[in-house]
């Protein structure tokens, strides 16, 4: 889980973490740290309704029906108009929120030195997902380091996964089933997408994901596939994961030409769609 932020990507961000926040800079910091070579720094440029957040997930099977303790060190500098904190969330079936703590009742503000903070929950049997991380809002800087987990009072150390090379039979299956697409340009000819017709067949719903949020090629390919499904297969409804009320402005622009599409995309708060 890279709890100590020691594993870093070439862009200076912590590996295995999802880092997000409009108006916030989230990256590893070598100059200020509590332990090891790096800490995670979240720096806010201006006060507002947004916040910078680091997100990861905890292995569910290791904690179910046990006491889970999440702790870490936080340091702040001139943090105004917001606060910093750790957060831990337990999700149940059908997106039911079982437990959530983001330190809202013990906010860290202003300038503070390194201090350890803790969140603790008993993980119910019906839990289906455990998410955790760090957050900061307002202007100023917050550093996070030396995150740790305990299960029933004992330190949890994650086992590294065993990576197995693919079998010859698995490679052969891929070669005989993969559809090779050479171009992500939405304006390209649709002939090479024709095999997808057989794959989709009579399905009424086609779901599209992406390996990473925000990567241009993934979203260009989604654009191209959406055009193909509409023009070649008669699909007429496009649904996205975003706030319904704000999405009405997008719908009004697409169907009736009303409004400003850039403002409409900005209003849904999902930066992954603002492409």
């Amino acid at each position: 889980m890279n709890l100590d932020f020691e594993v870093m990507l070439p862009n200076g961000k912590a590996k295995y973490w999802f880092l997000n926040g409009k108006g916030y800079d989230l990256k590893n910091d070598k100059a200020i740290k509590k332990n090891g070579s790096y800490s995670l720094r979240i720096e806010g440029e201006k006060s507002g309704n947004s916040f910078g957040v680091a997100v990861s997930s905890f292995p569910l099977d290791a904690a179910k029906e046990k006491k889970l303790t999440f702790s870490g060190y936080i340091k702040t500098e001139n943090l105004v108009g917001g606060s910093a904190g750790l957060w831990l969330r337990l999700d149940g079936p059908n997106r039911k929120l079982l437990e959530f703590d983001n330190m809202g009742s013990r906010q860290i503000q202003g300038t503070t030195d390194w201090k350890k903070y803790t969140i603790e929950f008993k993980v119910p049997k019906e839990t289906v997902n455990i998410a955790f991380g760090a957050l900061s809002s307002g202007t100023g800087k917050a550093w996070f380091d030396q995150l740790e987990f305990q299960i029933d009072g004992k330190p949890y150390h994650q086992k590294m996964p065993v990576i197995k090379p693919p079998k010859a039979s698995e490679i052969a299956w891929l070669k005989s089933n993969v559809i090779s697409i050479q171009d992500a340009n939405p304006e390209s000819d649709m002939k090479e997408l024709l095999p997808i017709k057989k794959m989709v067949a009579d399905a009424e719903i086609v779901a599209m994901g992406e390996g990473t949020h925000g990567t241009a090629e993934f979203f260009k390919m989604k654009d191209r596939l959406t055009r193909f499904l509409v023009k070649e297969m008669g699909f007429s409804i496009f649904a996205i994961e975003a706030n319904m009320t704000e999405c009405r402005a997008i719908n009004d622009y697409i169907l009736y030409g009303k409004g400003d599409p850039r403002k409409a995309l900005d209003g849904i708060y999902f930066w992954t769609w603002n492409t």
Side-chain angles (χ1 to χ4, degrees):
M1 290 179 286
N2 195 18
L3 295 176
D4 216 16
F5 309 106
E6 296 301 292
V7 185
M8 192 170 64
L9 295 168
N11 62 3
K13 296 183 181 294
K15 193 174 184 181
Y16 306 124
W17 285 87
F18 173 66
L19 307 173
N20 188 29
K22 188 174 182 179
Y24 288 83
D25 183 40
L26 296 88
K27 62 174 58 176
N28 279 23
D29 193 330
K30 191 173 184 178
I32 298 176
K33 69 267 189 182
K34 177 68 173 66
N35 184 62
S37 300
Y38 299 97
S39 68
L40 172 69
R41 186 187 74 223
I42 302 179
E43 183 174 359
E45 299 174 357
K46 60 181 180 179
S47 298
N49 295 324
S50 61
F51 56 90
V53 62
V55 182
S56 189
S57 60
F58 188 85
L60 178 63
D61 293 340
K64 192 172 285 191
E65 296 186 89
K66 297 176 182 177
K67 183 174 71 174
L68 182 65
T69 305
F70 174 41
S71 63
Y73 286 84
I74 302 175
K75 173 184 172 71
T76 61
E77 180 181 293
N78 300 325
L79 193 57
V80 180
S83 64
L86 303 175
W87 63 273
L88 179 64
R89 190 186 75 228
L90 309 183
D91 301 321
N94 301 316
R95 300 190 179 188
K96 180 182 179 181
L97 181 63
L98 301 178
E99 298 283 0
F100 179 63
D101 186 350
N102 64 355
M103 296 180 54
S105 61
R106 43 205 165 106
Q107 298 181 349
I108 308 168
Q109 299 173 321
T111 298
T112 63
D113 202 358
W114 287 111
K115 183 179 177 180
K116 189 175 183 179
Y117 299 88
T118 300
I119 298 174
E120 191 171 270
F121 288 135
K122 177 69 181 294
V123 181
K125 184 179 181 180
E126 64 268 29
T127 305
V128 298
N129 181 61
I130 301 174
F132 69 93
L135 58 85
S136 184
S137 58
T139 62
K141 301 176 183 177
W143 291 266
F144 304 84
D145 206 355
Q146 205 172 339
L147 307 185
E148 298 175 334
F149 278 98
Q150 289 187 353
I151 296 178
D152 287 342
K154 297 180 180 180
Y156 175 79
H157 300 291
Q158 190 178 33
K159 294 180 180 179
M160 293 299 292
V162 178
I163 300 174
K164 298 179 180 179
K167 300 175 183 177
S169 59
E170 293 170 335
I171 294 175
W173 185 91
L174 282 171
K175 287 183 175 180
S176 61
N177 286 277
V178 161
I179 296 173
S180 178
I181 299 173
Q182 302 300 318
D183 189 1
N185 185 352
E187 302 288 348
S188 295
D189 190 276
M190 293 187 178
K191 287 182 180 178
E192 68 172 348
L193 302 183
L194 291 177
I196 293 174
K197 276 191 174 184
K198 184 178 180 182
M199 180 187 292
V200 173
D202 296 328
E204 294 184 358
I205 298 173
V206 176
M208 297 183 200
E210 62 265 1
T212 53
H213 289 321
T215 300
E217 289 79 5
F218 283 126
F219 280 80
K220 288 176 181 177
M221 195 64 229
K222 281 178 150 182
D223 186 341
R224 190 177 181 201
L225 288 170
T226 301
R227 296 182 192 210
F228 175 80
L229 291 170
V230 170
K231 294 180 178 181
E232 298 292 328
M233 301 197 68
F235 280 78
S236 58
I237 296 175
F238 179 64
I240 64 175
E241 179 196 8
N243 302 333
M244 186 170 185
T245 304
E246 286 81 357
C247 279
R248 293 189 185 279
I250 298 175
N251 205 54
D252 285 344
Y253 176 78
I254 292 171
L255 295 182
Y256 313 115
K258 296 179 180 178
D260 183 335
R262 290 187 181 277
K263 289 182 179 178
L265 277 173
D266 232 9
I268 61 173
Y269 311 114
F270 276 63
W271 68 269
T272 45
W273 289 113
N274 203 349
T275 62

